[in-house]
């Protein structure tokens, strides 16, 4: 910015504050202004300066004003009227044009009388008159007689058309620049003006080629932005030329005549004359592009679209509308091609083709322009337009409300009809309007086609001020533009690459509509067992005109197929209805399923596969949010869960309310684990670890709550330390979905405490903890099983550490040492836990190993368990726990190795089955081949056992006899449909091989 030198004058300082850059030149121009029109005295000049300071470029506005005044007395009178106008609207419009558009300023200098069109009293006449009338009269054509040939042709006609066209653009731009018109009104006005220019150009062409005009009916169909009534100030006008022979004219001759006329129309609009150029007419969207015929008959177009058209051509036809020429022919053509447009989504790879085309457009943006390109670059106009058009084409075939050629109108309908979230649509609408406004202001300056933001400070400053940024124009524009671009790109990727689009597009149109007839046929074809009941669920979900029903109508056709991809589609649909009934009024639920269709697909898989997971979800439907990402389905650690549970429990003084909160966390985690398992995100070891962690965290929280309750009841701190020891599969971190928590309770009286009182208090805590974790609530109970304690059910529920030491020293049997192999502190006093481990290690890992008598006893007990505990009617080859080669076979084999060699092989001192098995191989106690067979059998039996619980919703150790349930178990385990028999055969073969190893290694 040039600053005045020396002492700054009062005027110069004011000019700087108003935003003038070259103060010295401005002072000279103000003197010229006074000389040209002395009536602009000081008072008038003060107001004029303020108005000039509001212009995008005040220097340019003042220079333009001087040029207009220099044009002659008529212009000076108009300007005086504008300055004198009480409202100041006329002057603001004039200054806005002169300061925002160098090209329109030059046009006014050539045609100063057009200043009059900026007067407010001209608005009504312009608004109420079709621009066709103005432009046709300008070229001497009769607006009401299409056959009239009294038209100005040649250079005179072309110049007259340009002058009239610019006059209309001038009026529109003035109201745009002062903020009187929204961007959609400006774009629609420019499109209407383009229609008028095409009509006038056609009249000129018909007059210049009169014989041809009588041989053919010609329609000009607008495409692209013009077709969508969202045209820019300077843009190629995309068109198609459609022709039909006149009566008694052969088609060949008619097409030749139509081609001459069409070529002439293009030349009239795009030729350079002393009055400039209107815009190029682009017919490259026609079949075969530049290589194809310029003009075709409707039948020729339809034949091409039927056989040869590419996906992008149908996308382009979305915006087709009659613009000029024979209106009946144009309307008929657009109606005829509409079925191709709204059936395009059913084409193979349609969605992928549209997405690939957008990527190609983005890749061809010149590297130097990528960050300044507001149309084609990332976060630009095309991101909005492609996303909206793809959604229209996919959903519009069944929803006629989406069939608008206007981006903003279509976006509004997509939001209203539930295909796009309200907030997302509002953000896209704001961003699109802002970017279009930027585009308009850029093009207005020189009336040139451009979409690249200037990289110089003056250019950015002018652009920013034209958009209303005043205090820090460049910085504020850059920040606002960046924010909108980021949001556009985020939403583009969210909507444009939405997986649901692919699924909807693949559905036949009649199925996507989900009419009762189509739904019933489809349900039967998909394998629903009770189509009539399923129909009732569908009707309940989709009936009405609410936004919720609209979204369900979009989701359900796809979800029906997703349910059918899994074992029990009827249960999946029922569960979906129940979840939707519970959450339907919750704003995030349907939005989540629509916008993140991975959630919807996963929900379908879970509901149609697992009664266990479905029951958990129905107890707290908001847990559906966990399905949104792999991260959400990653089990939480013991530490994280423990902290959450204790924090929640601390909010309640009542122990029942506290444990309810804890059990709510446990229920959520069980659902998380079950879903991760069903969706293949967790292996069998991960499931066992996760279930054991959530159980340990719940026990710890339950122990704290119980302790707090007993202390409150006794009104004194607990006189003893309490420990919960995990046993069995819990201690081995190998819990299944249906497992109880096997534990032992240990306590240690504090110094000076009465031992009897300590025993009573510890017993009360243990009983209260068990009660709280098992009381009936909507959440699944956690059963605490203490039968592995010394003397079993006949022994005391809680013992002191000293009592355990005395018992194991005098009375312990080999089976109790075996049970201790999985003993691990789970909750309570950590120091006491270490003491307990130190106490039992010599018992479970005898320094001298086992005697032969002990080995025989272990084998005898195992044989007795097989004979007595296996259910009488059970198939021993299909019982996962006690059957041949099942869990017990593998675990007892490994535990015998631990009892015999644990003292000498430290790696065997683990509560985990597979770790101990690996340690046995490393120590040379078992061959790798045998270990591999046992490990595979253990993992298979555990997976099948878990799958049975997931499918049936309750625990069982035997493969189901019901064919449907067995098929569901097979699918959950990983078998494809129709391979249920393979599961049984594979299971028997795997466990048979494991049993052979057990016979050799365990029974010797």
């Amino acid at each position: 910015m040039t600053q005045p030198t020396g002492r700054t004058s009062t005027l110069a300082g004011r000019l700087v504050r108003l935003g003038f850059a070259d103060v010295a030149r401005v002072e000279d121009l103000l003197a010229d202004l006074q000389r040209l029109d002395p009536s602009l005295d000081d008072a008038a000049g003060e107001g004029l300066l303020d108005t000039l300071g509001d212009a995008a470029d005040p220097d340019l506005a003042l220079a333009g004003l001087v040029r207009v005044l220099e044009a002659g007395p008529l212009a000076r009178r108009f300007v005086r009227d504008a300055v004198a106008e009480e409202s100041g609207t006329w002057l603001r419009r004039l200054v806005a044009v002169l300061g925002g558009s160098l090209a329109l300023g030059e046009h006014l200098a050539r045609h100063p009388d057009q200043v009059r069109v900026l007067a407010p009293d001209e608005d009504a006449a312009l608004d109420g008159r079709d621009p066709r009338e103005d432009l046709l009269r300008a070229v001497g054509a009769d607006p009401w007689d299409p056959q009239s040939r009294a038209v100005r042709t040649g250079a005179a006609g072309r110049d007259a058309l340009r002058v009239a066209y610019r006059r209309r653009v001038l009026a529109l731009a003035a109201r745009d620049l002062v903020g009187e018109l929204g961007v959609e009104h400006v774009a629609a006005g420019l499109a209407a003006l383009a229609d008028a220019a095409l009509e006038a150009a056609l009249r000129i062409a018909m007059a210049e080629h009169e014989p041809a005009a009588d041989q053919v009916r010609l329609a000009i169909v607008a495409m692209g932005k013009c077709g969508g009534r969202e045209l820019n100030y300077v843009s190629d006008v995309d068109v198609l030329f459609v022709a039909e022979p006149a009566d008694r004219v052969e088609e060949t001759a008619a097409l030749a005549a139509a081609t001459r006329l069409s070529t002439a129309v293009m030349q009239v609009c795009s030729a350079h004359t002393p009055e400039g150029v209107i815009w190029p007419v682009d017919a490259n969207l026609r079949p075969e592009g530049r290589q194809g015929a310029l003009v075709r008959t409707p039948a020729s177009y339809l034949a091409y679209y039927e056989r040869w058209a590419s996906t992008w051509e149908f996308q382009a036809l979305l915006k087709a509308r009659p613009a000029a020429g024979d209106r009946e022919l144009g309307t008929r053509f657009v109606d005829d091609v509409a079925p191709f447009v709204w059936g395009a989504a059913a084409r193979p790879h349609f969605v992928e083709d549209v997405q690939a085309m957008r990527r190609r457009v983005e890749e061809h943006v010149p590297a130097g322009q990528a960050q300044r390109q507001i149309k084609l670059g990332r976060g630009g106009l095309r991101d909005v337009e492609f996303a909206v058009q793809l959604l229209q084409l996919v959903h519009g075939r069944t929803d006629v409300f989406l069939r608008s050629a206007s981006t903003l109108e279509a976006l509004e309908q997509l939001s209203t009809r539930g295909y796009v979230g309200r907030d997302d649509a509002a953000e896209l609408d704001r961003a699109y309007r802002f970017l279009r406004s930027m585009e308009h202001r850029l093009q207005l300056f020189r009336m040139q086609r451009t979409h690249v933001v200037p990289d110089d400070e003056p250019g950015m400053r002018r652009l920013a001020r034209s958009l209303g940024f005043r205090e820090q124009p460049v910085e504020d524009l850059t920040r606002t533009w960046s924010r909108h671009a980021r949001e556009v790109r985020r939403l583009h990727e969210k909507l444009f690459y939405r997986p649901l689009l692919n699924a909807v597009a693949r559905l036949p149109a009649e199925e996507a509509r989900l009419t009762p007839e189509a739904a019933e046929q489809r349900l039967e074809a998909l394998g629903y067992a009770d189509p009539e009941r399923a129909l009732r669920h569908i009707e309940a979900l989709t009936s009405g005109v609410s936004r919720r029903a609209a979204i369900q109508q979009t989701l359900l056709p796809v979800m029906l197929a997703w349910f059918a991809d899994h074992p029990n589609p009827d249960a999946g649909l029922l569960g979906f209805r129940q979840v939707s009934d519970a959450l339907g009024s919750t704003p995030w639920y349907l939005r989540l399923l629509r916008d993140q269709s991975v959630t919807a697909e996963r929900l379908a898989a879970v509901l149609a596969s697992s009664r266990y997971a479905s029951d958990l979800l129905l107890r707290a439907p908001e847990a559906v949010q966990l399905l949104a990402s792999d991260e959400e389905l990653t089990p939480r650690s013991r530490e994280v869960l423990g902290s959450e549970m204790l924090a929640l429990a601390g909010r309640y003084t009542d122990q029942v309310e506290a444990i309810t909160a804890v059990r709510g966390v446990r229920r959520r985690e069980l659902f998380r684990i079950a879903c991760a398992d069903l969706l293949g995100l967790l292996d069998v070891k991960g499931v066992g670890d996760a279930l054991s962690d959530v159980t340990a965290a719940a026990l710890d929280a339950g122990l704290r709550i119980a302790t707090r309750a007993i202390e409150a009841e006794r009104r004194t701190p607990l006189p003893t330390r309490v420990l919960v020891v995990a046993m069995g599969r819990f201690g081995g971190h190998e819990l299944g979905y249906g497992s109880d928590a096997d534990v032992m309770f240990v306590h240690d009286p504090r110094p000076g405490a009465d031992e009897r009182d300590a025993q009573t208090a510890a017993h009360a805590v243990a009983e209260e903890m068990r009660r709280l974790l098992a009381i009936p609530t909507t959440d699944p109970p956690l059963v605490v099983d203490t039968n592995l304690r010394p003397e079993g059910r006949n022994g005391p529920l809680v013992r002191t550490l000293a009592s355990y030491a005395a018992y194991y020293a005098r009375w312990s049997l080999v089976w109790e040492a075996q049970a201790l192999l999985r003993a691990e502190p789970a909750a309570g006093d950590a120091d006491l836990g270490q003491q307990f481990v130190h106490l039992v290690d010599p018992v479970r890992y005898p320094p001298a190993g086992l005697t032969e008598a002990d080995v025989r006893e272990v084998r005898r007990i195992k044989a007795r368990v097989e004979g007595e505990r296996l259910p009488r009617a059970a198939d021993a080859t299909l019982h996962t726990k006690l059957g041949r080669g099942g869990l017990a076979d593998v675990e007892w084999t490994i535990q015998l190795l631990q009892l015999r060699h644990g003292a000498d092989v430290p790696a065997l001192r683990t509560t985990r089955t597979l770790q101990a098995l690996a340690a046995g191989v490393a120590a040379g106690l078992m061959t790798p081949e045998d270990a591999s067979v046992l490990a595979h059998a253990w993992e298979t039996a555990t997976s099948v056992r878990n799958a049975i619980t997931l499918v049936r919703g309750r625990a069982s150790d035997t493969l189901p006899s019901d064919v449907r349930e067995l098929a569901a178990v097979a699918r959950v385990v990983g078998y494809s449909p129709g391979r249920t028999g393979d599961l049984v055969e594979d299971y028997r073969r795997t466990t048979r091989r494991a049993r052979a190893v057990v016979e050799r290694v365990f029974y010797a």
Side-chain angles (χ1 to χ4, degrees):
M1 180 180 291
T2 305
Q3 297 287 352
T5 57
R7 184 174 179 179
T8 303
S9 68
T10 303
L11 176 60
R14 184 161 181 247
L15 292 174
V16 171
R17 290 193 296 275
L18 286 171
F20 289 91
D22 191 342
V23 174
R25 183 167 182 269
V26 169
E27 289 178 335
D28 291 341
L29 288 171
L30 288 174
D32 290 342
L33 201 63
Q34 187 77 27
R35 174 179 54 78
L36 288 167
D37 191 347
S39 69
L40 295 175
D41 56 18
D42 289 343
E46 289 290 315
L48 178 59
L49 271 182
D50 289 338
T51 305
L52 287 166
D54 286 334
D57 187 336
D59 298 71
L60 180 65
L62 178 56
L65 187 58
V66 170
R67 291 187 64 189
V68 171
L69 290 175
E70 288 175 336
L74 183 61
R76 289 195 286 275
R77 180 169 64 80
F78 285 154
V79 171
R80 277 198 302 273
D81 290 348
V83 173
E85 184 197 5
E86 289 186 12
S87 68
T89 301
W90 192 353
L91 181 61
R92 282 198 305 276
R93 290 178 179 178
L94 174 60
V95 168
V97 168
L98 295 172
S101 176
L102 178 63
L104 289 179
E106 292 172 347
H107 175 77
L108 275 174
R110 288 196 309 275
H111 303 281
D113 59 306
Q114 290 194 3
V115 171
R116 185 75 185 94
V117 80
L118 305 182
D121 57 11
E122 289 285 316
D123 293 351
L126 288 170
D127 291 342
R129 190 165 62 239
D130 189 332
R132 291 174 193 262
E133 184 178 344
D134 281 356
L135 269 59
L136 287 171
R137 289 190 187 283
V139 300
D142 185 341
W144 319 116
D145 182 7
Q147 304 305 317
S148 170
R149 298 292 187 268
V151 177
R152 299 166 67 182
T153 58
R158 287 157 173 74
D159 280 344
L161 177 57
R162 281 152 177 72
V163 172
Y165 178 83
R166 281 284 190 271
R167 181 177 182 272
R168 276 279 191 165
V169 170
L170 176 65
L172 197 62
R175 296 167 72 180
D176 177 13
L177 286 164
V178 297
E180 295 176 16
L181 293 178
V183 68
E184 73 276 22
H185 299 107
V186 175
L190 289 167
L193 193 51
D195 293 354
L198 288 169
E199 192 71 61
L202 180 57
R203 294 290 189 92
I204 293 173
M206 292 169 71
E208 292 178 347
H209 301 272
E210 192 162 341
D214 296 327
Q215 294 178 298
V216 69
R217 299 171 62 196
L218 180 64
I220 304 176
V221 175
M223 304 282 282
K225 286 188 176 297
C226 186
R229 292 188 174 88
E230 46 193 16
L231 196 61
N232 301 327
Y233 280 101
V234 185
S235 176
D236 291 354
V237 172
D238 296 306
V239 301
L240 296 177
F241 293 105
V242 185
E244 274 191 348
D247 291 342
R248 293 183 295 279
V249 177
E250 289 189 359
E251 184 175 297
T252 304
L255 287 176
T259 301
R260 287 195 295 276
L261 292 175
S262 300
T263 303
V265 167
M266 297 172 71
Q267 192 275 334
V268 168
C269 293
S270 60
H272 287 269
T273 78
E275 290 296 337
V277 63
I278 302 179
W279 21 248
V281 176
D282 189 341
N284 290 335
L285 292 178
R286 65 186 186 268
E288 302 176 75
R290 294 181 181 179
Q291 308 304 317
L294 180 62
V295 186
R296 287 177 181 254
T297 64
S300 176
Y301 276 109
L302 295 178
Y304 173 83
Y305 292 136
E306 223 167 62
R307 296 188 62 189
W308 309 109
S310 300
T311 296
W312 70 265
E313 293 176 278
F314 297 119
Q315 185 178 354
L317 283 170
L318 187 153
K319 294 185 178 293
R321 66 172 180 82
D326 192 303
R327 187 54 59 96
E328 187 277 330
L329 175 59
T331 301
R332 177 157 42 90
F333 170 79
V334 170
D335 290 344
D336 287 346
V337 300
F340 291 101
V341 175
W342 303 113
R347 292 164 61 90
H349 312 298
F350 167 79
V351 173
E352 293 91 338
D353 287 347
V354 177
Q355 292 169 342
M357 182 164 56
R358 173 63 188 121
R359 287 192 291 270
R360 285 196 299 272
V361 169
E362 194 174 309
E363 288 165 2
H364 283 83
V365 177
Q369 296 181 3
Q371 299 303 315
R372 297 182 292 116
Q373 169 67 254
I374 61 171
K375 178 182 178 181
L376 305 177
R378 294 170 63 86
L381 292 163
R382 280 290 187 268
D383 271 356
V384 181
E385 292 162 357
F386 264 73
V388 169
Q389 289 168 25
L390 182 56
L391 289 168
Q392 282 183 275
L393 290 167
V394 169
H395 299 298
R397 56 189 179 142
T398 59
D399 191 339
V400 296
F401 291 97
L402 303 182
R403 298 180 183 181
S404 171
S406 163
T407 300
L408 290 175
E409 287 179 5
L411 181 58
E412 181 181 4
Q413 285 299 321
L414 285 166
S415 174
T416 300
R417 306 287 294 171
Y419 301 99
V420 176
R422 291 189 182 94
D423 292 343
D424 290 348
E427 185 61 49
L428 280 178
D429 182 275
R430 283 191 296 270
Y432 189 72
R433 291 174 187 274
F434 180 80
L435 293 172
R436 287 302 304 274
S437 295
M438 284 183 71
E439 183 181 42
H440 284 174
R441 301 298 194 272
L442 280 171
Q443 295 181 349
L444 266 175
F445 182 58
R446 296 189 185 277
M447 290 302 286
Q448 291 180 347
R449 184 185 181 201
T450 181
H451 307 95
V452 180
V453 175
D455 57 0
D456 62 293
E457 200 276 341
M460 279 293 287
R461 183 172 179 274
R462 181 180 59 250
L463 175 62
R465 285 174 61 88
S466 75
L467 291 163
F469 297 102
R470 288 291 187 270
E471 294 189 7
Q472 295 181 303
V474 175
E475 293 83 351
D476 291 345
L477 170 60
T478 302
R479 183 168 54 252
T480 304
W481 174 30
S482 297
R483 184 182 74 247
H484 283 308
R486 282 195 305 272
E487 282 300 293
V488 165
R489 189 61 183 187
R490 178 182 69 82
L491 293 171
H492 169 78
E493 292 177 347
K494 173 181 177 181
L495 300 174
F496 194 62
Y497 296 101
R498 182 189 287 173
L500 185 65
L501 286 172
N502 272 309
V504 174
R506 284 194 292 268
L507 291 175
E510 62 275 9
E511 294 182 8
R513 286 191 191 94
L514 209 66
T515 61
E517 297 78 10
E520 185 168 9
Q521 293 173 5
R522 186 151 190 258
L523 290 167
E524 291 176 356
L526 289 172
Y528 283 76
D530 191 345
E532 289 186 7
R533 178 175 293 180
L535 264 180
R536 290 196 292 272
H537 296 324
I538 293 170
E539 289 167 2
L541 288 164
T542 60
S543 60
V545 294
S546 66
R547 183 180 179 83
R548 171 187 172 187
I551 297 176
Q552 292 282 22
Q553 288 166 11
T554 304
L555 287 170
L556 268 173
V558 177
M559 294 196 71
L560 290 176
W562 285 341
F563 291 135
D565 285 339
H566 299 284
N568 195 340
D570 297 80
L573 181 56
L574 171 62
F576 181 65
R577 178 183 175 182
Q578 292 171 325
V579 173
S580 296
D581 286 345
L583 292 177
S585 59
T586 306
W588 56 262
Y589 168 62
L590 290 176
R591 183 173 67 234
L592 176 70
L593 300 186
R594 178 198 61 207
D595 294 347
Q596 298 185 30
S597 53
V598 64
T599 306
E601 190 168 3
R602 285 175 166 180
L603 178 62
V606 168
L607 293 175
S609 300
S610 171
R611 179 156 182 189
Y612 177 84
S614 298
D615 289 346
L616 290 171
L617 180 60
L618 291 174
R619 289 185 173 110
E622 66 277 1
V624 72
Q625 296 173 93
L626 299 179
L627 298 169
S629 69
D630 290 357
E631 182 182 359
E632 285 294 330
L633 289 175
T634 302
R636 302 305 185 240
S637 68
R638 159 75 189 277
E639 293 72 26
V640 170
L641 290 172
S643 297
E644 182 182 3
M645 288 178 175
L646 291 176
L648 283 173
R651 297 177 186 175
Y652 303 96
T653 55
D654 181 80
Q655 65 264 38
V656 175
E657 292 179 343
I659 201 65
T660 300
V662 168
R663 289 174 61 177
V665 175
R666 175 174 176 263
R667 178 243 310 130
R668 181 201 69 202
E669 289 307 306
L670 292 177
F671 178 72
R672 192 197 308 271
I673 296 162
C675 291
D677 187 3
L678 288 163
L679 297 170
L681 302 177
L682 271 185
D683 60 15
V684 65
K685 179 179 177 298
V687 170
D689 282 335
L691 290 172
S692 301
D693 282 348
V694 69
T695 300
L699 288 175
D700 191 44
L703 181 63
R704 302 282 187 97
I705 295 168
T707 300
R708 189 176 67 189
I710 298 304
E711 287 181 337
E713 183 181 311
R714 291 167 53 91
R715 298 183 181 180
T716 181
L718 209 65
T720 188
R721 298 181 297 162
V722 178
L723 170 70
V724 180
V725 178
M727 301 290 286
R729 302 187 72 80
F730 179 26
H733 297 258
E734 296 159 359
L735 281 179
Y737 294 106
S739 301
D740 296 341
D742 291 314
V743 304
M744 294 195 305
F745 287 101
V746 185
H747 82 102
D748 186 42
R750 300 186 185 280
D754 180 78
E755 289 194 10
R756 182 174 296 178
D757 182 51
Q759 178 70 22
T760 301
H763 187 276
V765 167
E767 287 287 16
E768 178 67 0
M769 172 183 154
R770 296 174 70 196
R771 183 188 75 85
L772 289 173
L773 289 169
I775 55 175
T777 70
T778 57
D779 297 315
L782 174 54
V783 177
V784 178
D785 188 334
T786 59
N787 290 336
L788 290 179
R789 66 187 185 268
E791 301 177 80
R793 294 180 181 179
N794 297 317
L797 178 65
V798 188
R799 287 177 181 263
T800 64
L801 188 65
S803 174
Y804 277 105
Y807 177 86
Y808 289 131
R810 296 187 60 190
W811 309 108
S812 176
L813 302 175
V814 67
W815 73 264
E816 291 176 299
Q818 184 179 351
L820 286 173
L821 288 170
R822 292 186 172 190
E824 181 177 276
D829 191 281
D831 290 338
L832 184 56
Q834 292 300 315
Q835 291 177 264
F836 181 81
V837 169
H838 183 72
L839 167 68
V840 301
D841 271 354
V843 179
R844 56 184 173 181
Y845 310 123
L850 293 183
T851 65
E852 283 303 314
D854 288 335
V855 172
R856 285 194 298 273
E857 178 65 7
V858 171
R859 291 170 176 162
R860 186 191 68 79
I861 295 173
K862 174 70 172 70
R864 180 181 172 187
V865 167
E866 289 180 20
E868 296 180 1
R869 296 183 60 186
L870 186 70
R872 184 169 299 175
D875 183 343
T877 65
L878 297 178
H879 197 281
T880 60
K881 183 177 180 181
L882 301 176
R884 292 194 290 272
L887 296 173
D889 268 2
V890 176
E891 291 164 0
W892 280 63
T893 300
I894 295 165
Q895 289 163 13
L896 182 59
L897 290 179
Q898 290 179 284
L899 289 167
R900 298 178 75 176
H901 306 286
D904 300 326
V905 182
L908 283 172
R909 301 172 200 168
T910 174
T911 62
R912 301 174 185 241
T913 300
L914 296 184
Q915 283 187 9
L917 184 58
V921 173
L925 302 174
M926 183 179 291
T927 68
E929 293 75 18
D930 285 348
S932 176
V933 169
L934 292 181
H936 180 51
W938 186 89
E939 290 175 341
T940 298
T942 303
S943 296
V944 169
R945 193 175 188 228
N946 283 341
I948 294 168
T949 306
L950 287 172
V951 168
R952 301 181 68 184
R954 61 184 186 277
S956 175
D957 293 321
T958 304
L959 268 72
S961 56
D962 180 84
V963 175
R964 196 177 181 92
E965 284 188 347
L966 184 61
V969 170
R971 292 290 302 280
V972 170
V973 171
Y975 286 84
S976 56
R979 290 192 57 204
T980 304
D982 292 352
L983 166 64
V984 176
E985 290 180 13
D986 290 348
Y987 183 83
R988 282 178 166 148
R989 180 170 53 252
T990 298
T991 53
R992 184 169 60 248
R993 294 179 64 198
R995 181 65 181 193
V997 174
V998 172
E999 294 282 359
R1000 186 172 62 256
V1001 175
F1002 180 81
Y1003 287 110

